[in-house]
Amino acid sequence: MNVRVVVVDDHPVVRSGLIGMLGVTDDIEVVGEAGDGEEALAVVENTRPDVVLMDLRMPRRDGVSATGAIVTGYPATKVLVLTTYDTDADILHAVEAGATGYLLKDTPHAELLDGIRAAARGETVLAPPVAAKLMSRMRTPVSTAAAPSPRELEVLAAVARGLSNAEIGRELFIGEATVKTHLQRLFAKLDVDDRTRAVTTAIERGLLPSPRR
């Protein structure tokens, strides 16, 4: 029986390349494609594939959000992340969303095909660098001393209000470079890699108040 696959990537050339590569494989059939997470949900609804080959950073709806929605709404469909990014935050967010596997775009052709087949069987598929990072993280105890400082939370609260680094610096009477330093430290402490996720995570942890509706 063929493994039915949907390819999701916001770069048309990459998407076409993957579809062409998979199209010459006897036991793998591409049944749909999408350019972002929102489109991916509609394609999955119509095709009910065995595996979704999912990029992470895309417009409208990113791969992590789409992965969570697919895993919840279509439990028979497995999501295999295929991305350029291998940061700790990206890996953890994808795994927490329910991805069956996480491969990088430099994965050799044969290994990618094997990964798709394994994902269809429900097996965990991880690129060696990704597996190493996950194991390292599991071995590292969580530090209780890594709480954001009051000043860092002031900066993040200003970010939540939509201020730029320059505007935050003027409001708090600090240099723009200092604002960037505070944000970098916050990203590390909250285990995120962008401003939006920092604000969202801080609200979830009760470090910032929820926005008024």
Side-chain angles (χ1 to χ4, degrees), residues 126-136:
L126 296 174
V130 173
K133 287 193 174 188
L134 282 175
M135 289 301 295
S136 174

Side-chain angles (χ1 to χ4, degrees), residues 182-203:
H182 284 314
L183 287 174
Q184 288 169 354
R185 289 175 180 167
L186 272 166
F187 291 174
K189 290 178 179 180
L190 298 176
D191 191 25
V192 298
D193 55 7
D194 61 54
R195 297 160 72 96
T196 302
R197 282 180 176 165
V199 171
T200 302
T201 301
I203 292 172

Side-chain angles (χ1 to χ4, degrees), residues 2 17 25 32 41 46 54 105 133 137 154 164 198 202:
N2 284 356
T25 306
L41 293 177
N46 291 331
M54 180 74 76
K105 286 183 178 176
K133 287 193 174 188
R137 186 171 185 84
E154 277 187 296
S164 67

